[in-house]
Structure formats: C-alpha cells, structure tokens
Amino acid sequence: MTMTDGRVADAVRGSWVDTIAPPGWRPYLRLARADRPIGSWLLLLPCWWSAAFAAIAAGQPLPNLWHMLLFAVGAVAMRGAGCTYNDLVDRDIDAMVDRTRSRPLPSGQVTSRQAKLFLIGQVVVGALVLLALARPFAWALGIASLAIVAVYPFMKRITSWPQSVLGLAFSWGALMGWAAAFGRLDWPPVLLYAASILWVIGYDTIYAHQDREDDAIVGVKSTALLFGERTPVILSLIYAGAVFLFAAALWALGGSILAYCGLAAFALHLAWQVARLDISDPDLCLRLFKSNRDAGLIFLAGLMAEAALRAAG
C-alpha cells in the first residue's frame, strides 16, 4: 500500500469516496468511514428495532417514519464522529499497525486540528437530529450516551473487554426509539438494549480477530486476544445469551408468532456465523462481521411484520 493516492489499506477499492467524491473531501470522508457504511448500519439497527418496538406497543402498523429518518441521519453523523474521535485518540497506535497506518491522521492527510473541527461539525449534526426528536427525555438520554463514547477508545488500554463498552455505545439506540415515541423507558427497550450489547460483543470479537497479532505487539487488549482459540465456544454462549434476551424483550412487549419467527431467523444467522468462523482467516472474519447487517435486518423484518399484524387485528 502506497500513500500516494490517499487510500486506506483495508478500505474497499472503487467506493464512491474513491471515484466520485471531490478529492479535497476524500480524507475527511475516509476519516468518517463513509466508504465503509457497515458501522452506520450496525449503529442504526438498534434504533430501528426500538422504533418498531414502539410501533407494536402503540398498535401502529409502521414505526414513526420521521424518527426512522432522523435515526438514519444521526447514525451516519455520530458513527463518523465516533470514528474521528477514535482516530484522534489512537493515531499513535494506528501508525504502528499495518491495517491502520494509512488512515488519514497517521498518514498525515489530515491534521489533528482539522480532524477536531470535522468532529465538531459531525457532533453538531447529531445534536440537531436529537433536538428534532422533540422529547426532552430523549434529549437527556441521547446526551448521556456521550459519556460512554468518550471513554471507549481508552478501554483497549485498560481491559480485555473493550467490546463490552462498544456494546454499551452501539446499542444505545435500542433505548432511543422507545424514548422518542413515549418520552420514557420501559422493560421492553431495556431488555432489547441488554440483548443488543451481547450481540455487539459477539460481532466485534469476530472483527477484532483481524488485528489480534498487531494488537498483541502494540499492547492493546481485546476479547479476540482474551478468547483466542476458545472464541467459537464463547461466541456461541454470547450469541445464545443475546437471543435469550431478545426473546425476553419480545415477551415483555407481548410479541406474537411473526416477531418470534424473525428472532428465530436472526438466531439461525448467528449460528451460521459461529459455524463458518475461522479466526485465522482475516478476510472471512471481516465478511462474517459485515453479515450482521443482514442479521439485524432479518430481525427488523419480523418486528415490522408484527407491527402490521398487531395494527390489523
């Protein structure tokens, strides 16, 4: 990988960022991972699940489409802000790792000052989205998530479970959809949040196996390093716990057959991931990690069908 074209070593070649984005924007779009939308999807899906939960509880055939749109914009902005902040904190570590040293900050395409200004801009967009939800409780809940986001980049230096902190942050949307609809929290979204945390720990452990050798060299920690060869067994337990908690959330919601069918299909997808996993194959780990977007959409489809059934009957 050369630095002459500004591309990042592990980014998908030929993305819209490489081909049609104005050249001056490209380092910032890469900093926000705009060429890798999987992170935005994984941040967004718990928001949409929660909005679907709220629709089921309210007897509406569809989630609030305005909220769905706001969550989509917010997920892109806040995922980009999180990546920018993470890269600012980790720029020295990233410079020592083959997969990350070509990122905009360690490669010098963007200065720290420019990255900080870009971070502020993305946070402003996220704040505007939060205000548009028009629920003071949702505003307070959204602001509270920033504490978790702020500490996350430092966790890999402190604990072998940084994926659990990522789970707390990336699952926050499981609370937000319900809070935006009702201005409070109840057991269904709380259980949904707990389930999503385990799901995130599972899929990010798969992702972390791409970097476990470099992580060991530079001295950062992860569940991939902690679990090692035991990963398939432990991942099975984590995913089983997630499915159990998702089922508990549906029970608390009063879900019926369509929602549970969606959950069953979601669970089969997780089982397929574990069966396919080869922790010595980084490319496969990345593909399995990305497949969690499809798993999340499968569960969402079951929830949408449940909402339509509930409203019709």
Side-chain angles (χ1 to χ4, degrees), residues 80-102:
C83 290
T84 304
Y85 174 65
N86 194 74
D87 282 7
L88 280 163
V89 173
D90 284 348
R91 58 189 180 276
D92 293 334
I93 292 175
D94 286 345
M96 295 186 284
V97 176
D98 284 341
R99 191 174 66 84
T100 58
R101 63 166 52 104
S102 54

Side-chain angles (χ1 to χ4, degrees), residues 3 53 84 93 105 128 133 146 187 213 271 275-276:
M3 304 301 174
F53 263 46
T84 304
I93 292 175
L105 271 165
L128 292 174
L133 292 175
L146 296 179
W187 276 112
E213 294 179 2
R276 288 277 292 127

Side-chain angles (χ1 to χ4, degrees), residues 34-275:
D35 52 348
R36 285 175 276 184
I38 182 61
S40 297
W41 274 110
L42 295 175
L43 185 60
L44 173 61
L45 282 164
C47 301
W48 279 1
W49 294 341
S50 189
F53 263 46
I56 293 168
Q60 297 172 344
L62 289 172
N64 185 308
L65 297 181
W66 173 239
H67 288 173
M68 299 278 274
L69 176 61
L70 288 174
F71 288 139
V73 174
V76 172
M78 294 312 295
R79 187 265 185 143
C83 290
T84 304
Y85 174 65
N86 194 74
D87 282 7
L88 280 163
V89 173
D90 284 348
R91 58 189 180 276
D92 293 334
I93 292 175
D94 286 345
M96 295 186 284
V97 176
D98 284 341
R99 191 174 66 84
T100 58
R101 63 166 52 104
S102 54
R103 287 179 176 174
L105 271 165
S107 65
Q109 300 170 56
V110 173
T111 67
S112 293
R113 182 177 181 276
Q114 289 170 329
K116 290 172 183 175
L117 291 173
F118 183 51
L119 171 62
I120 292 169
Q122 292 172 98
V123 170
V124 168
V125 173
L128 292 174
V129 167
L130 191 60
L131 288 172
L133 292 175
R135 289 276 193 181
F137 182 83
W139 299 344
L141 193 64
I143 291 169
S145 70
L146 296 179
I148 301 170
V149 174
V151 302
Y152 166 68
F154 303 99
M155 291 298 103
K156 68 184 74 172
R157 299 162 173 83
I158 298 170
T159 176
S160 294
W161 288 86
Q163 280 70 28
S164 64
V165 183
L166 183 70
L168 293 173
F170 258 59
S171 301
W172 203 261
L175 305 174
M176 292 299 298
W178 189 280
F182 299 122
R184 64 176 193 272
L185 289 178
D186 299 291
W187 276 112
V190 171
L191 290 168
L192 182 68
Y193 178 60
S196 183
I197 290 170
L198 290 182
W199 178 54
V200 175
I201 293 172
Y203 71 59
D204 202 57
T205 296
I206 295 174
Y207 183 84
H209 270 290
Q210 297 178 94
D211 296 329
R212 68 182 189 279
E213 294 179 2
D214 285 331
D215 286 348
I217 291 170
V218 301
V220 298
K221 304 175 182 181
S222 73
T223 49
L225 286 171
L226 178 65
F227 300 163
E229 297 296 327
R230 300 170 298 164
T231 293
V233 173
I234 298 174
L235 185 61
S236 296
L237 295 174
I238 291 171
Y239 274 166
V243 171
F244 173 80
L245 287 170
F246 279 123
L250 291 178
W251 177 82
L253 186 64
S256 66
I257 185 64
L258 291 178
Y260 284 106
C261 284
L263 178 59
F266 174 82
L268 287 173
H269 195 291
L270 300 188
W272 169 80
Q273 291 178 40
V274 175

